[in-house]
Amino acid sequence: MRFEKKNIIIVLFVVGSLLRILLCSSSPTGNAFDNHYTPISIIMETGEIAAKDACPQCYHPPVFYLVSAVIGKIVLGTGLDVRYVMKLIQFSCCLYGILTLYVIYLILSKMNISDFSRAIAFGTVCFLPRHIYMSAMNSNDAISYLFVSLCVYLMLLLLETNLKYKYQVMLSVAVIVAVFIKYTCYILLPAFAVLSLLLLKSKEFPRKKLISFALLSYGLPALLLCGYSLYNYNTYGTFLPDNVAAASILKQPQDPGGVNFFTFKPWLSIQNPFLAPGKLGSFWTLIYSSTWYDIDAMFIRFFDNKESLWEPYYDWLKGYVAFPDPRLIVPHYASNMGAVLVTLGLMPLCFTVLGFFIAVKNSFYSYTKKNEQSLSEWYKTPLFIMLALFNIALIVAFTVKRPFYSSIKSSYILNALPAYAIFLSFGIMSLRKFLDNKYIAIFFGSIFIFVIIHINYIVYHIGIFNY
């Protein structure tokens, strides 16, 4: 039985990895939300990190660009054409996505959950469309997911080993790297800070180790981040530079009334999975729909060699023209598959929300059962709760600052991917008395199959390899 369970995990991992490799191979190098090649090329050409105002994406922290530039220089030194260099840099993002799957499994293995719920949660991450999409694009998103997940895993190791110093140092290094990848990784600092406050009330961990833990896990990274922010302020007049042009943002279409944080209308995306007037104002609908389908048409636009027909659509998203007639550009397959995936995704969403409330409940009531579980086990659950809450708070803050659809990205929500995987497994476990495992397996297996069809159909239309 153990061998069979291990085989299932391996199959899920291999197929999920192949989907990412296929889509990355198929997707053109320039197919991304932003041009992240310019900051990389500046480092490759000058040997220096680009100034924050040197290009639209140069404001980001430098780790991703430095790593990519090193890869680019090595590959370029072999004499390969620049096109191959760009493609291999794009494939590095695919590798980050695949490694994230492995780390997520390690995290799931550290939790007291059933093998069945662990496999379903892991499979859902492996076949989550948005994570597959982001693994095929050259951006700093995929590596940010990897390092946030790695930091969470190291934190779990710390709790299991009585805050062993070796893991404290490893965690400190990982957090420092993470916060210099992308602003969205900053959720680690408050999440770890809250956890350390909870640990201070515990007598299970030595006070000396708790102090070193606080200093290394978020104290030192926060100190370095403060120095980085002060440098930015003295140089660019702002602590956290953001080169998003206000003029272009203000032109983006909006629904009357702006963004609503208290509505959820998935039926709108089932009727039409793509962005359109009347579908830009529901925060939760945009987050959810873009998690399960390509609502931005970053890949669908290549279907049937009619990419040019999408130009008016993208001009509308930029606020240049009126909304075009979607019947002229949306293939029937794209609409139907979008409706299927958005509909099927509602079940994992329900399990995840249920699992979140179970996690909160257990965090309040399990603390008194000291004789049944160690406190190190109890502290794991609040870690995931804090990670999810601060992740959502960050996206809300982005949206409040700029209340447009481009601020409401499901790619941001994936920074708390470990938390959502854990909540999903909790939700599945809670219903095992009411639902037979085979029915849950059949349902989630159907999701996985539709995702496989969806990704392969994209690859079929774009081609197996593109620069």
Side-chain angles (χ1 to χ4, degrees):
M1 181 63 68
R2 181 179 301 175
F3 178 76
E4 292 178 359
K5 292 174 182 176
K6 182 179 179 181
N7 273 357
I8 290 173
I9 295 297
I10 292 174
V11 169
L12 292 172
F13 177 76
V14 170
V15 177
S17 299
L18 286 175
L19 290 178
R20 286 160 177 78
I21 293 171
L22 278 173
L23 189 60
C24 184
S25 172
S26 177
S27 181
T29 54
N31 188 38
F33 292 109
D34 303 293
N35 180 11
H36 290 275
Y37 284 108
T38 301
I40 298 170
S41 63
I42 291 175
I43 296 175
M44 292 177 62
E45 292 171 4
T46 66
E48 298 179 355
I49 298 173
K52 300 296 182 184
D53 53 3
C55 71
Q57 298 305 312
C58 288
Y59 71 89
H60 286 289
V63 167
F64 168 71
Y65 303 113
L66 287 170
V67 173
S68 299
V70 170
I71 295 173
K73 289 288 286 186
I74 293 174
V75 176
L76 200 61
T78 64
L80 288 176
D81 188 84
V82 174
R83 296 178 302 166
Y84 291 101
V85 175
M86 295 175 67
K87 194 65 182 179
L88 287 173
I89 290 175
Q90 181 188 4
F91 263 109
S92 70
C93 298
C94 180
L95 176 62
Y96 302 144
I98 293 173
L99 290 175
T100 301
L101 299 183
Y102 178 68
V103 178
I104 292 292
Y105 176 73
L106 294 179
I107 291 171
L108 287 166
S109 299
K110 291 295 181 183
M111 300 300 292
N112 185 23
I113 55 179
S114 68
D115 290 332
F116 178 77
S117 63
R118 181 180 295 112
I120 294 296
F122 179 64
T124 303
V125 173
C126 288
F127 293 93
L128 192 65
R130 178 52 53 186
H131 191 265
I132 298 175
Y133 300 152
M134 300 312 296
S135 299
M137 298 181 187
N138 178 52
S139 74
N140 51 6
D141 291 289
I143 192 174
S144 72
Y145 310 149
L146 172 60
F147 270 87
V148 169
S149 299
L150 180 61
C151 290
V152 171
Y153 175 66
L154 290 172
M155 179 62 77
L156 296 179
L157 286 179
L158 268 174
L159 294 174
E160 288 184 351
T161 58
N162 199 30
L163 303 182
K164 196 171 184 178
Y165 288 118
K166 177 178 70 173
Y167 293 124
Q168 288 191 32
V169 174
M170 292 172 65
L171 176 63
S172 181
V173 172
V175 174
I176 290 171
V177 173
V179 297
F180 286 99
I181 290 175
K182 191 166 184 172
Y183 295 158
T184 52
C185 295
Y186 292 176
I187 60 173
L188 289 168
L189 299 180
F192 288 174
V194 172
L195 183 62
S196 68
L197 292 176
L198 295 174
L199 293 175
L200 284 173
K201 296 183 178 181
S202 168
K203 296 181 181 180
E204 183 170 332
F205 302 101
R207 188 68 55 177
K208 184 178 179 181
K209 285 189 175 181
L210 283 172
I211 294 173
S212 63
F213 162 74
L215 291 175
L216 289 173
S217 67
Y218 66 89
L220 180 58
L223 182 64
L224 294 174
L225 190 58
C226 286
Y228 174 75
S229 300
L230 287 173
Y231 169 80
N232 288 335
Y233 183 80
N234 292 330
T235 307
Y236 306 102
T238 179
F239 291 108
L240 298 175
D242 184 350
N243 292 348
V244 179
S248 63
I249 285 290
L250 292 176
K251 292 179 181 178
Q252 289 183 357
Q254 286 181 292
D255 283 350
V259 177
N260 191 319
F261 294 95
F262 303 100
T263 60
F264 181 55
K265 304 175 181 179
W267 55 88
L268 295 179
S269 295
I270 294 173
Q271 295 170 357
N272 174 19
F274 299 101
L275 295 173
K279 297 178 55 183
L280 305 176
S282 177
F283 177 85
W284 295 108
T285 307
L286 286 171
I287 290 289
Y288 167 75
S289 301
S290 58
T291 300
W292 285 97
Y293 198 62
D294 182 25
I295 68 171
D296 310 279
M298 295 298 294
F299 299 95
I300 304 300
R301 63 192 172 116
F302 294 105
F303 279 18
D304 302 324
N305 297 318
K306 295 179 180 179
E307 183 181 356
S308 61
L309 295 178
W310 286 91
E311 292 178 2
Y313 179 79
Y314 286 105
D315 286 340
W316 167 73
L317 288 177
K318 297 174 185 177
Y320 298 153
V321 299
F323 183 70
D325 185 346
R327 292 173 297 179
L328 298 177
I329 57 176
V330 180
H332 290 298
Y333 159 80
S335 295
N336 294 337
M337 180 57 76
V340 169
L341 290 177
V342 172
T343 301
L344 292 177
L346 289 171
M347 185 63 75
L349 174 65
C350 291
F351 280 130
T352 303
V353 173
L354 175 61
F356 170 79
F357 286 109
I358 291 173
V360 173
K361 173 181 174 292
N362 290 344
S363 296
F364 277 108
Y365 293 105
S366 296
Y367 182 75
T368 58
K369 301 178 181 179
K370 297 179 182 179
N371 59 325
E372 296 184 18
Q373 61 176 353
S374 68
L375 288 178
S376 63
E377 284 295 317
W378 179 83
Y379 283 117
K380 291 179 180 180
T381 303
L383 168 62
F384 296 106
I385 295 173
M386 291 301 106
L387 190 70
L389 290 179
F390 283 115
N391 178 238
I392 292 172
L394 182 69
I395 303 173
V396 169
F398 284 161
T399 307
V400 170
K401 181 179 179 181
R402 292 193 176 93
F404 301 91
Y405 76 90
S406 60
S407 300
I408 312 172
K409 293 181 178 179
S410 61
S411 58
Y412 295 155
I413 209 82
L414 295 187
N415 282 105
L417 194 56
Y420 303 125
I422 295 299
F423 297 152
L424 176 58
S425 65
F426 284 176
I428 292 172
M429 283 185 63
S430 69
L431 294 178
R432 58 187 173 184
K433 294 181 180 179
F434 309 100
L435 289 175
D436 193 296
N437 282 354
K438 67 179 181 181
Y439 297 118
I440 297 176
I442 291 172
F443 183 85
F444 278 86
S446 300
I447 295 178
F448 303 162
I449 291 172
F450 274 110
V451 172
I452 291 172
I453 295 172
H454 169 54
I455 298 301
N456 278 278
Y457 199 77
I458 292 175
V459 173
Y460 171 77
H461 278 276
I462 302 179
I464 193 63
F465 188 86
N466 288 285
Y467 296 107

